[in-house]
């Protein structure tokens, strides 16, 4: 996976421009909260001034002569300050956390939509675990930074500017002692940032490797169990997790040293103010109340800077994650959508001098020209690697041809809108994928993109829906009957409400295949494509699928890739592929009589050899 590592902060700020008003509002609440948080030391200094100076205090000089009235006034002011500090703390937490959740949501959904638009090769060449790590963990890392880190940066900046300005105005002769450590702290923070950046980039990469391993192993848990490789896979995960622990430990060793070093620098400024400010107060050059304020303000100024270590740690983790997220968003490997609307189609395909090669391999199809007539059944057979599945991918426009042209009803597939192409096409893959949910939901899934089905009905349709005679219920059951699936579905523990499990693991291979056919039939497509639909089912299921095809094929363009030739004997035409070329074409009887490749395959499968 390629990564954008240049200026991830700039990319993040550019993305946040769409939330400018909310960022500014949250930032304002952070500033006000910090300003009210800094007020108590001033109030303490005023209280000391009243007790020591009495009628000569600052409030007295402002017109409040009575000492007790000064204290009452100061008490009321303290209540107001604490109230406002609490109000703005609530508001800045509310706004920053809300903003973090909003950005997290929008970025995850937007990135997922971007990933969905990529062509099939994007997924075939990348680890799903790495993609999951970016879509989930990296975006969560950004959310955590916006939730806490952004507020910390604003409040530390506010503290430095407010207290630094107060020191310069109130006690310029000793202000430099408090301000002197600040450049050292800031430069040290920037140095640590540069040290941490490559370390956290490696941490994020290690997280992706763990996610890849877990995703891969959980999907293949049956294989792991049947081969007895649990110990081996646990050792592999242990190695990946140890690598992550090592990379994280290296980053932690650097980041953990930041705060202790900063504390040692800070204490120098604090001690300087305490000693030299105290001498000035003893000599009468500095008001006692002001000396108290300076002591408290020095603590308020310098100690919060120790949080920079934690803040920069969050920042670097967020920047490493930003680089991965925006790197993913920078990838553009999607096929351009067409502009031609196709409200209806007869379903005739024409391939003219088609050549195709995957990006990382040799040519798979060579100068292929053929016609698949509308409303007829066409079978495609051939040895493994002959180009059958690639041909189907081109008909579905999962890839674009390298040379030549594929036309549907005379229109180049590249000109037809994807939505129209897939509205008219039903596809049943050899590797059936069912979603975790009910049988009903998996069949009705075929209507989600085109008929505006309420997705909530698919989560738990309930027996009342199945018994209500609604149009959706009737269409689902009709499709299941066409696919010879209704009988076995009704025998399941909860019928159409039965949960099929992840990838449909609670159903047999033949049951999954028939549910998949029902899903494809539900939208009544003009073109039905079946890729090795009977290659891994038993004879009874094969017979059921054959009966189903006999009912659904008439009047519909049906394209069948078949390994078992017995399933396509009645096809109107059979295309025989060999090494990416059309080797033979004709009906079953014609091809058997011709004595070519197909005849040889038939003799082998029918037991004549």
């Amino acid at each position: 996976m390629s990564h954008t590592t240049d200026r991830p902060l700039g990319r993040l700020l550019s993305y946040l421009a769409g939330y400018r008003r909310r960022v500014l509002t949250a930032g304002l609440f952070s500033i006000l909260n910090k300003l009210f948080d800094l007020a108590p030391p001033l109030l303490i200094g005023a209280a000391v001034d009243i007790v020591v100076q009495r009628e000569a205090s600052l409030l007295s000089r402002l017109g409040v002569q009575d000492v007790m009235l000064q204290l009452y006034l100061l008490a009321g002011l303290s209540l107001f300050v604490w109230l406002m500090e609490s109000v703005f703390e609530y508001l800045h937490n509310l706004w920053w956390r809300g903003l973090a959740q909003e950005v997290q949501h929008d970025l995850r959904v937007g990135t997922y939509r971007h990933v969905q638009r990529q062509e099939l090769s994007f997924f075939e060449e990348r680890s799903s675990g790495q993609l999951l790590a970016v879509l989930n963990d990296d975006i969560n890392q950004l959310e955590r930074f916006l939730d806490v880190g952004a507020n910390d940066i604003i409040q530390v900046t506010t503290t430095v500017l407010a207290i630094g300005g107060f020191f310069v105005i109130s006690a310029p002769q000793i202000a430099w002692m408090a301000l002197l450590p600040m450049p050292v702290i800031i430069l040290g923070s920037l140095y640590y940032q540069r040290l941490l950046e490559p370390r956290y980039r490696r941490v994020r990469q290690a997280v992706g490797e763990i996610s890849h391993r877990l995703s891969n192993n959980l999907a293949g848990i049956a294989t792991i169990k049947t081969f007895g490789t649990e110990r081996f896979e646990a050792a592999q995960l242990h190695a990946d997790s140890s690598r992550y622990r090592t990379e994280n430990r290296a980053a932690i060793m650097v980041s953990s040293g930041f705060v202790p070093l900063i504390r040692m620098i800070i204490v120098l400024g604090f001690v300087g103010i305490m000693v030299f400010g105290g001498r000035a107060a003893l000599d009468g050059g500095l008001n006692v109340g002001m000396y108290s304020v300076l002591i408290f303000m020095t603590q308020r100024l310098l100690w919060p800077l120790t949080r920079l270590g934690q803040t920069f740690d969050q920042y670097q983790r967020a920047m490493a994650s930003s680089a991965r997220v925006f790197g993913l968003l920078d990838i553009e490997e999607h096929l351009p959508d067409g502009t031609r609307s196709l409200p209806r189609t007869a379903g005739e395909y024409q391939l003219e001098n088609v050549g195709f090669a995957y990006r990382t391999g040799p040519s798979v199809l060579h100068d292929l020209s053929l016609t698949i007539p509308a409303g007829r059944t066409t079978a495609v057979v051939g040895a493994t690697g002959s180009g059958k599945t690639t041909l189907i991918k081109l008909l579905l426009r999962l890839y674009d041809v390298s040379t030549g042209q594929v036309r549907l009803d005379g229109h180049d597939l590249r000109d037809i809108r994807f939505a129209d192409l897939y509205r008219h096409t039903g596809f049943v893959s050899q590797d059936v994928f069912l979603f975790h949910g009910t049988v009903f939901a998996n069949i009705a899934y075929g209507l989600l993109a085109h008929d505006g089905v309420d997705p909530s009905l698919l989560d738990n349709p309930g027996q009342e829906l199945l018994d209500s005679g609604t149009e959706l219920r009737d269409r689902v059951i009709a499709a299941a009957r066409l696919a010879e699936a209704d009988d076995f579905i009704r025998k399941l523990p909860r019928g159409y409400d039965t949960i099929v499990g992840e990838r449909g693991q609670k159903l047999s291979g033949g049951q999954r295949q028939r549910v998949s056919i029902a899903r494809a039939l539900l939208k009544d497509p003009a073109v039905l494509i079946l890729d090795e639909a009977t290659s891994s089912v038993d004879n009874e299921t094969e017979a059921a699928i054959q009966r189903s095809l006999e009912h659904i094929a008439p009047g519909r363009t049906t394209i069948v890739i078949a390994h078992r030739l017995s399933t396509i004997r009645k096809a109107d035409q059979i295309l025989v592929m060999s090494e990416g070329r059309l080797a033979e074409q004709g009906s079953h009887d014609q091809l058997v009589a011709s004595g070519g490749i197909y005849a040889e395959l038939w003799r082998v499968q029918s037991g004549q050899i």
Side-chain angles (χ1 to χ4, degrees):
M1 185 183 299
S2 62
H3 301 293
T4 298
T5 57
D6 296 334
R7 300 183 59 80
L9 177 60
R11 292 292 303 276
L12 181 59
L13 292 176
S14 177
Y15 181 84
L16 290 175
Y19 306 85
R20 183 180 293 109
R21 183 171 298 177
R22 298 182 65 176
V23 171
L24 292 176
T25 302
L28 176 62
F29 291 148
S30 293
I31 292 171
L32 291 172
N33 169 248
K34 179 50 63 176
L35 290 177
F36 280 105
D37 177 61
L38 295 175
L42 295 175
L43 299 176
I44 293 173
V48 172
D49 187 49
I50 292 171
V51 171
V52 174
Q53 301 291 340
R54 296 178 179 272
E55 288 80 3
S57 67
L58 175 62
L59 286 179
S60 179
R61 293 195 296 273
L62 293 176
V64 182
Q65 301 297 326
D66 185 84
V67 175
M68 288 306 299
L69 182 58
Q70 293 180 33
L71 290 176
Y72 290 140
L73 180 62
L74 195 59
L77 188 59
S78 297
L79 289 174
F80 173 75
V81 166
W82 283 86
L83 174 64
M84 297 310 295
E85 180 191 357
S86 300
V87 167
F88 286 117
E89 181 172 5
Y90 169 77
L91 289 175
H92 86 64
N93 277 325
L94 185 67
W95 279 73
W96 277 118
R97 291 180 179 180
L99 177 65
Q101 294 298 317
E102 193 72 21
V103 171
Q104 177 195 46
H105 169 76
D106 291 345
L107 189 58
R108 177 176 288 118
V109 172
T111 306
Y112 174 72
R113 285 176 176 165
H114 177 81
V115 167
Q116 272 197 143
R117 289 196 298 268
Q118 307 309 308
E119 61 182 284
L120 190 60
S121 62
F122 172 89
F123 302 96
E124 293 175 340
E125 296 169 3
R126 286 170 173 82
S127 157
S128 60
Q130 289 280 2
L131 293 175
L132 282 172
V134 174
L135 289 168
N136 190 38
D137 197 62
D138 283 317
I139 290 177
N140 285 345
Q141 194 69 53
L142 285 174
E143 182 264 337
R144 286 190 287 271
F145 172 69
L146 288 174
D147 193 353
V148 179
N151 173 69
D152 284 349
I153 291 173
I154 291 174
Q155 293 208 336
V156 167
T157 304
T158 302
T159 299
V160 170
L161 293 177
I163 298 181
F166 174 80
F167 268 45
V168 170
I169 294 171
S170 303
Q173 69 274 25
I174 59 173
W176 62 272
M177 297 179 190
L179 300 179
L180 183 61
M182 291 171 55
V184 180
I185 293 171
I186 293 172
L187 290 175
S189 300
L190 294 175
Y191 173 73
Y192 262 85
Q193 175 187 335
R194 285 196 295 270
L195 287 179
L196 285 170
E197 189 273 331
R199 287 170 170 80
Y200 279 128
R201 190 165 62 243
R202 291 193 292 270
V203 168
R204 301 315 309 157
Q205 183 65 31
V207 169
E209 291 170 2
I210 291 175
S211 181
H212 163 66
R213 177 78 60 188
L214 291 172
S215 173
N216 207 43
N217 286 9
L218 291 176
I221 193 65
T223 302
I224 292 172
K225 283 184 172 296
T226 54
F227 278 86
T229 54
E230 292 95 337
R231 184 173 298 177
F232 170 78
E233 292 299 343
Q236 293 292 96
L237 180 63
H238 181 274
D240 288 341
S241 185
S242 295
R243 195 173 303 115
Y244 167 72
R245 182 178 58 184
T246 300
E247 297 293 353
N248 222 353
R249 184 179 294 158
I252 290 170
M253 286 182 66
V254 175
S255 64
S256 296
F258 180 80
V259 172
L261 290 175
I262 293 301
R263 283 178 180 271
M264 297 308 298
I265 298 171
I266 285 173
V267 75
L268 296 177
F270 188 77
V271 168
I273 290 292
M274 181 181 293
V275 173
F276 291 97
R279 175 179 290 181
L282 290 172
D283 293 340
L286 185 65
N287 183 284
V288 175
M290 181 58 67
Y291 175 63
S292 302
V293 171
L294 291 178
I295 290 292
F296 283 113
M297 283 296 192
T298 302
Q299 189 269 342
R300 288 296 186 97
L301 171 65
L302 297 178
W303 287 115
L305 294 178
T306 61
R307 289 181 59 85
L308 281 178
Q310 180 182 356
T311 302
F312 273 114
D313 186 80
Q314 292 175 334
Y315 171 79
Q316 282 304 336
R317 289 177 183 268
M319 291 306 101
S321 293
S322 293
R324 286 162 56 85
V325 173
F326 290 117
L328 185 57
L329 286 171
D330 284 340
I331 296 173
E332 293 290 346
E333 296 182 7
H334 55 81
L335 302 177
D337 199 359
T339 57
R340 177 182 291 276
S341 179
L342 197 67
R344 61 184 63 85
T345 179
E348 179 179 89
Y349 284 93
Q350 293 176 319
L351 280 73
E352 184 177 314
N353 307 119
V354 168
F356 178 77
Y358 295 100
R359 272 185 296 186
T360 57
S363 294
V364 179
L365 299 180
H366 313 275
D367 196 30
L368 183 64
S369 296
L370 56 88
T371 298
I372 297 175
R376 311 292 290 275
T377 298
T378 297
V380 183
V381 301
T384 300
S386 61
K388 305 186 301 297
T389 299
T390 299
L391 172 61
I392 295 303
K393 290 178 179 178
L394 295 181
L395 296 180
L396 290 167
R397 208 192 162 206
L398 298 175
Y399 289 92
D400 275 341
V401 297
S402 302
T403 59
Q405 195 177 51
V406 179
R407 294 194 294 271
L408 175 60
D409 289 355
H411 306 299
D412 192 314
L413 283 188
R414 291 168 290 195
D415 296 333
I416 301 173
R417 294 171 61 242
F418 282 121
D420 289 324
L421 176 63
Y422 296 134
R423 179 181 294 111
H424 302 310
T425 308
F427 177 58
V428 180
S429 173
Q430 175 185 6
D431 182 21
V432 174
F433 184 92
L434 298 184
F435 296 92
H436 181 73
T438 64
V439 174
F440 180 91
N442 273 281
I443 297 176
Y445 189 84
L447 292 180
L448 279 177
H450 310 297
D451 284 32
V453 173
D454 181 0
S456 65
L457 293 178
L458 305 190
D459 294 335
N460 183 17
Q463 196 60 42
E464 67 277 3
L465 174 62
L466 295 173
D467 293 338
S468 64
T470 64
E471 181 185 0
L472 176 61
R473 174 260 193 195
D474 291 343
R475 292 177 68 179
V476 166
I477 293 177
R481 286 173 178 163
L482 274 176
E484 298 268 347
D486 183 63
D487 286 344
F488 88 76
I489 291 173
R490 293 186 182 276
K491 294 176 183 177
L492 293 173
R494 297 186 62 195
Y496 282 85
D497 262 345
T498 301
I499 299 294
V500 302
E502 191 169 4
R503 299 183 67 90
Q505 60 187 342
K506 291 186 177 181
L507 303 181
S508 70
Q511 290 172 334
R512 290 197 298 270
Q513 194 67 268
R514 281 180 278 177
V515 169
S516 178
I517 293 173
R519 179 171 61 192
L521 291 174
L522 185 61
K523 59 182 179 179
D524 192 23
V527 178
L528 180 63
I529 301 175
L530 299 99
D531 183 7
E532 303 272 19
T534 61
S535 64
S536 57
V537 299
D538 54 38
N539 291 333
E540 181 182 350
T541 302
E542 179 185 354
I545 292 175
Q546 281 185 286
R547 291 194 301 270
S548 174
L549 289 177
E550 290 176 4
H551 289 105
I552 64 181
R556 190 192 314 269
T557 302
T558 306
I559 304 168
V560 183
I561 290 183
H563 174 71
R564 296 182 182 179
L565 303 186
S566 58
T567 63
I568 48 97
R569 289 183 61 181
K570 297 181 181 180
D572 295 298
Q573 73 165 350
I574 299 172
L575 308 177
V576 184
M577 302 287 295
S578 178
E579 297 182 349
R581 292 180 170 85
L582 180 62
E584 298 174 0
Q585 180 177 359
S587 67
H588 170 80
D589 292 337
Q590 291 170 339
L591 293 173
V592 169
S594 69
I597 297 173
Y598 182 87
E600 182 70 14
L601 290 172
W602 175 252
R603 284 196 294 272
V604 170
Q605 291 193 18
S606 61
Q608 298 177 27
I609 295 180

